[in-house]
Amino acid sequence: MCHLQLRTLVFVAWVLGYVAFLVSIRRMWTGRYVRSPLARSLFMDMANESPAIETLEWYRCCPDLLGESVRPLFVQSHLDTDTKAFLKRSVEKSGWLFTQLYHSFVSTALSPFVSRTSINGFLGRGSMFVFSPKQFQKLLRIGPEWKTERLLDLGAGDGGVTQVMGAHFREVYATEVSLPMTWHLQRRNYKVLGIDEWQQTGFQYDVISCLNLLDRCDDPLRLLRDIKRSLVPNTGRLILAAVLPFQPYVEIGGRWQRPKEHLKVEGNTWEEQVTNLSKEVFQRVGFKVEAVTRLPYLCEGDMYNDYYVLDDAVFVLKASDNSESVH
């Protein structure tokens, strides 16, 4: 009996010590001890409402390094109010220590069996941010009141980015392979289609969004061709975001592996890869670039990071008659 009580006492002391350690570390992660120079700069920026110098890199482009056909199509984006609000919420949520401990435990337990996307959907975390309403409107060259018929958001996640676009459409469709994420989409009243169903509905879409999906699917060129066939002729547009540098991997059952069809994008800089994508991928499949911008692909953080940032190129593409077979 005494031995059992001693073991219980030691375990409780260990848990309390561990929590105290995490709390002390957490204090150094926030406020004036924020965990990285960039995060600290953003933290101060939110209080002062002035642009952080480091965030300029998220939007920086050297037009002279773009190919001649792409150069005049570049649209300059900036850190705006909605992006700041997302970052601020992410910083606040990452500070919920016991919530983050619970998330960390569940993620560790489920990761060998379940995809990271499904884990995030189950926990209600990991929301993404690609563009704000104003950035979306500027890219498409539309006004706040512009409205048309159908949007299809491929790989929509929890629907947070879908909502930004959805205000401009009378019907919003979405696809998602993760069942927990599908539940989020249905709660938002979006019409969820199967991944082999959206191409065969009998109607076409005014806008299809394919955000950060091209490097996470097994057959990216087939996906682009299916999208082209599914757009309303002449007026239909594809909004495509790609993480650069382009590193294609597919997540299956919590494991990452190479896609069946490897799409190679050449270039050492953001500008070179944007040019290569435009000429060697989009043009050959039958798309013409109408606009491109550089944006941060943001994701809510966890107990280790306030948020995560990847480098995105966001394109507006129009179907053209010029296409070549891609081998």
Side-chain angles (χ1 to χ4, degrees), residues 157-326:
D158 65 1
V161 183
T162 316
Q163 187 175 21
V164 172
M165 301 180 287
H168 296 283
F169 299 87
R170 295 180 181 89
E171 298 179 43
V172 178
Y173 298 83
T175 71
E176 179 54 58
V177 296
S178 165
L179 184 59
M181 288 298 187
T182 298
W183 297 335
H184 288 289
L185 293 169
Q186 290 171 337
R187 280 199 291 267
R188 292 176 183 264
N189 294 320
Y190 298 140
K191 300 171 185 177
V192 182
L193 302 175
I195 57 174
D196 296 317
E197 180 186 3
W198 60 271
Q199 316 93 319
Q200 303 169 5
T201 56
F203 55 78
Q204 293 172 305
Y205 308 91
D206 296 277
V207 172
I208 296 178
S209 60
C210 178
L211 305 178
N212 305 300
L213 185 61
L214 203 64
D215 60 346
R216 294 294 177 261
C217 67
D218 253 342
D219 199 347
L221 295 178
R222 179 184 174 185
L223 173 64
L224 288 173
R225 294 188 190 101
D226 286 344
I227 290 173
K228 183 183 176 185
R229 286 191 293 267
S230 301
L231 285 169
V232 172
N234 301 320
T235 59
R237 296 294 183 271
L238 166 61
I239 311 298
L240 186 143
V243 174
L244 301 181
F246 195 79
Q247 297 175 333
Y249 281 93
V250 178
E251 186 181 12
I252 299 177
R255 295 184 177 182
W256 294 95
Q257 62 184 43
R258 291 277 187 177
K260 294 177 182 176
E261 180 181 51
H262 182 69
L263 189 63
K264 185 177 181 181
V265 178
E266 297 180 350
N268 297 320
T269 66
W270 185 89
E271 292 84 356
E272 289 174 348
Q273 291 213 349
V274 163
T275 303
N276 190 262
L277 267 172
S278 302
K279 293 179 64 176
E280 301 301 326
V281 178
F282 302 148
Q283 184 175 325
R284 294 176 66 188
V285 173
F287 280 106
K288 177 183 177 182
V289 177
E290 286 197 334
V292 60
T293 191
R294 186 173 188 171
L295 289 169
Y297 176 31
L298 300 166
C299 177
E300 285 181 345
D302 48 31
M303 64 184 295
Y304 306 107
N305 292 281
D306 289 328
Y307 45 82
Y308 290 92
V309 186
L310 293 173
D311 205 356
D312 250 356
V314 184
F315 298 85
V316 178
L317 302 173
K318 175 185 178 182
S320 68
D321 294 330
N322 299 323
S323 62
E324 307 170 19
S325 60
V326 181

Side-chain angles (χ1 to χ4, degrees), residues 17-135:
Y18 180 66
V19 170
F21 170 75
L22 289 175
V23 170
S24 65
I25 291 296
R26 187 66 198 172
R27 287 172 180 168
M28 296 185 68
W29 287 349
T30 54
R32 64 192 183 96
Y33 295 112
V34 82
R35 66 180 70 109
S36 72
L38 176 58
R40 181 178 179 183
S41 178
L42 274 172
F43 189 89
M44 298 306 295
D45 168 55
M46 290 165 193
N48 299 330
E49 292 297 323
S50 60
I53 295 175
E54 289 86 348
T55 61
L56 295 176
E57 294 297 324
W58 292 355
Y59 306 92
R60 189 183 302 280
C61 172
C62 298
D64 291 342
L65 299 180
L66 292 169
E68 290 184 9
S69 61
V70 184
R71 193 177 305 152
L73 307 176
F74 179 74
V75 176
Q76 182 64 60
S77 297
H78 305 275
L79 180 70
D80 64 7
T81 303
D82 290 292
T83 310
K84 288 181 182 180
F86 179 85
L87 291 166
K88 186 175 181 180
R89 287 195 301 271
S90 296
V91 171
E92 290 172 350
K93 289 177 72 172
S94 70
W96 300 346
L97 180 60
F98 291 102
T99 299
Q100 297 301 339
L101 282 171
Y102 169 69
H103 287 175
S104 179
F105 172 77
V106 172
S107 296
T108 301
L110 295 181
S111 59
F113 316 103
V114 183
S115 72
R116 182 171 58 185
T117 301
S118 291
I119 293 172
N120 286 341
F122 173 73
L123 294 172
R125 71 168 193 183
S127 291
M128 306 292 185
F129 186 98
V130 179
F131 39 61
S132 67
K134 289 184 178 179
Q135 289 167 342

